[in-house]
Amino acid sequence: MNRITKILLICLFLLSTITGCFSADLAKQRAKQAGKGASIMIGVPVPREFTEKNTGFLKGLTLALEDINAKGINGKKIQLEIADDQAVFKDAVDIAQKFSQNTRMTAVIGHWYSDICIPVAAIYEKAGMLDIVPTVSNPELTENNFRYVFQNIPSDKKVAEKLCRYALQQGYKKLVIYYEDSSYGRNLADAFEREAEAKDMKVIDRSSGLVSDVDLKKAHDKWQALDFDAVFLALNMPEGALFIKEIRKVNPSIPILSGDGLDVHEFIGTLGKDSEGVVIATISNPHNEKPEFKKFANRYKQRYGEEPDVWAVQGYDSLQLIAQAIEQTDSCSPAVLAAYLRDMESMKLISGDISFNEDGEIQGREIYMKKVVKGTFEYLD
């Protein structure tokens, strides 16, 4: 039994013992009361300091809210309740319980990290609340037979497939995996290792927790002895930046590939010259020529003086996804909205046309590769 599963079971146990509100009756109440009143309530639980400092997520969300409320949805406006879970599990559980007990609240967009989002999703599921997850690529999210949970980002498996294809194109056959000891890190590392083996690539070492210069130097000497070609990172920020800075001291030219955990707009600014040559998988391309995307990007730049990052797009699209589902169904019932999302052929968002499979996993999203070249990102395809 893995760590996420244990936490999930604990959460389900707590749901049945802490309060009588967490029951089938709560879901029935929400089906009748969600969207009642002048506004449609949607919760947004995030680690606020991190998202504001490192991403455009809340900025993208704000633009979506303005666009939606300018014309309204079936005569109503959306009201967001942004809550800071501080990336702390207990705080996230408290927020989830508070949101769940508000039966007028239709949906949530969050949480940010796998170790929090996956177990806490059980609370929203039990309470019959639509849960749109824009940042967690861990496939465990869609493996619990949940009805109300939707993964609005490509899974680790798809990211790993893209990264391994790129590695092969570069002639990288012997790889090192360095990962953080979190649900995100472990699952992305597993997905990359499985995909590498399927493509006859060899993972010569898999490491985590190299916290000292001595440990890192020893590990690098081992990698060199095994004739490695590149290092794949399954890390988030700021841990990813710290590792890259240290490994560059040992080997300034080491080829580095990364999942989307390092895909934040301050990546180059944080690392400076140490970011040069790093390749990152991303689900957004600023060169997207679709009119909807260009309109959003221009407006975002005018408002905030910067290009929208992938998380700004995710914030915008996640709220638009809910709004379009409400408009199409003329309902704020999470059960009705969830059924619509699973059955729809496609939905046009600024990131492209998407749909969901029976498990709530997104379909149709492109994954791109970008590389730091002379202090800026160059898109590779």
Side-chain angles (χ1 to χ4, degrees):
M1 184 181 294
N2 61 36
R3 182 169 176 266
I4 286 290
T5 302
K6 289 179 180 177
I7 295 174
L8 179 59
L9 291 175
I10 291 170
C11 281
L12 289 172
F13 174 75
L14 289 175
L15 288 177
S16 64
T17 58
I18 291 176
T19 173
C21 289
F22 289 102
S23 66
D25 288 340
L26 189 59
K28 291 178 181 177
Q29 292 173 33
R30 191 179 314 282
K32 296 177 182 178
Q33 297 178 10
K36 296 292 185 183
S39 60
I40 300 165
M41 298 183 67
I42 296 173
V44 185
V46 293
R48 190 149 193 167
E49 182 179 358
F50 174 85
T51 53
E52 290 180 340
K53 182 179 179 181
N54 295 284
T55 80
F57 181 77
L58 293 177
K59 296 173 182 176
L61 199 68
T62 297
L63 292 187
L65 184 67
E66 292 176 0
D67 287 347
I68 294 163
N69 285 347
K71 62 177 183 177
I73 309 175
N74 302 332
K76 294 190 176 184
K77 296 184 184 296
I78 286 179
Q79 175 186 337
L80 296 182
E81 184 171 340
I82 299 173
D84 185 4
D85 68 14
Q86 302 183 74
V88 175
F89 184 74
K90 182 184 181 302
D91 291 353
V93 171
D94 290 343
I95 290 168
Q97 290 178 344
K98 177 186 173 184
F99 282 173
S100 297
Q101 292 179 64
N102 181 355
T103 54
R104 282 189 54 217
M105 186 173 283
T106 298
V108 292
I109 300 173
H111 294 243
W112 195 270
Y113 295 112
S114 292
D115 283 342
I116 290 175
C117 179
I118 295 175
V120 170
I123 296 176
Y124 300 124
E125 176 72 16
K126 187 76 173 178
M129 181 180 288
L130 188 68
D131 185 8
I132 304 299
V133 181
T135 62
V136 174
S137 54
N138 190 326
E140 288 185 26
L141 182 66
T142 58
E143 293 174 353
N144 296 300
N145 297 315
F146 286 160
R147 294 176 53 208
Y148 297 98
V149 179
F150 292 84
Q151 189 174 44
N152 192 31
I153 185 172
S155 71
D156 290 339
K157 181 177 184 296
K158 293 178 181 177
V159 172
E161 289 171 355
K162 185 76 172 185
L163 283 160
C164 284
R165 282 199 299 272
Y166 173 81
L168 275 178
Q169 291 168 1
Q170 302 306 303
Y172 301 153
K173 293 293 189 71
K174 295 181 178 180
L175 296 132
V176 170
I177 295 175
Y178 186 81
Y179 67 101
E180 64 182 39
D181 188 19
S182 68
S183 178
Y184 169 78
R186 292 187 299 272
N187 279 278
L188 182 55
D190 289 346
F192 186 88
E193 187 167 11
R194 285 192 296 268
E195 188 63 23
E197 290 174 354
K199 286 182 163 51
D200 294 324
M201 303 157 71
K202 187 173 182 181
V203 175
I204 63 166
D205 191 33
R206 176 170 164 154
S207 300
S208 180
L210 301 175
V211 294
S212 71
D213 295 345
V214 173
D215 289 341
L216 193 57
K217 179 64 167 59
K218 285 181 179 179
H220 182 265
D221 289 345
K222 174 185 175 182
W223 302 341
Q224 280 194 316
L226 295 170
D227 196 25
F228 82 108
D229 296 316
V231 174
F232 168 67
L233 304 183
L235 300 172
N236 278 298
M237 294 287 276
E239 293 81 7
L242 294 173
F243 177 85
I244 291 170
K245 282 181 176 292
E246 292 304 313
I247 197 67
R248 289 293 196 212
K249 293 176 184 178
V250 178
N251 183 344
S253 60
I254 185 171
I256 297 174
L257 312 178
S258 171
D260 57 1
L262 303 190
D263 191 11
V264 298
H265 63 63
E266 291 299 319
F267 178 78
I268 295 175
T270 299
L271 279 161
K273 62 181 178 59
D274 288 327
S275 67
E276 194 69 17
V278 175
V279 175
I280 298 176
T282 181
I283 57 169
S284 182
N285 188 336
H287 307 302
N288 188 331
E289 291 298 318
K290 294 180 179 178
E292 299 87 353
F293 182 88
K294 292 177 73 173
K295 181 180 178 181
F296 163 77
N298 289 336
R299 183 163 163 243
Y300 187 97
K301 191 171 183 179
Q302 288 175 357
R303 171 73 64 86
Y304 300 113
E306 62 188 18
E307 298 290 342
D309 66 359
V310 59
W311 307 115
V313 175
Q314 286 297 94
Y316 188 91
D317 269 359
S318 294
L319 189 57
Q320 285 284 2
L321 187 155
I322 297 171
Q324 288 191 42
I326 292 172
E327 188 171 40
Q328 290 299 315
T329 60
D330 193 21
S331 174
C332 289
S333 164
V336 172
L337 299 176
Y340 172 77
L341 291 176
R342 277 193 168 78
D343 292 341
M344 70 181 184
E345 290 187 6
S346 68
M347 179 183 288
K348 185 179 291 295
L349 300 173
I350 60 170
S351 58
D353 295 350
I354 62 97
S355 61
F356 294 94
N357 66 15
E358 279 297 311
D359 296 322
E361 181 183 352
I362 196 168
Q363 308 293 299
R365 288 296 297 273
E366 293 288 335
I367 300 172
Y368 307 92
M369 304 295 294
K370 61 183 182 180
K371 182 178 182 179
V372 182
V373 179
K374 295 181 180 179
T376 190
F377 277 117
E378 179 179 293
Y379 284 73
L380 305 178
D381 51 9

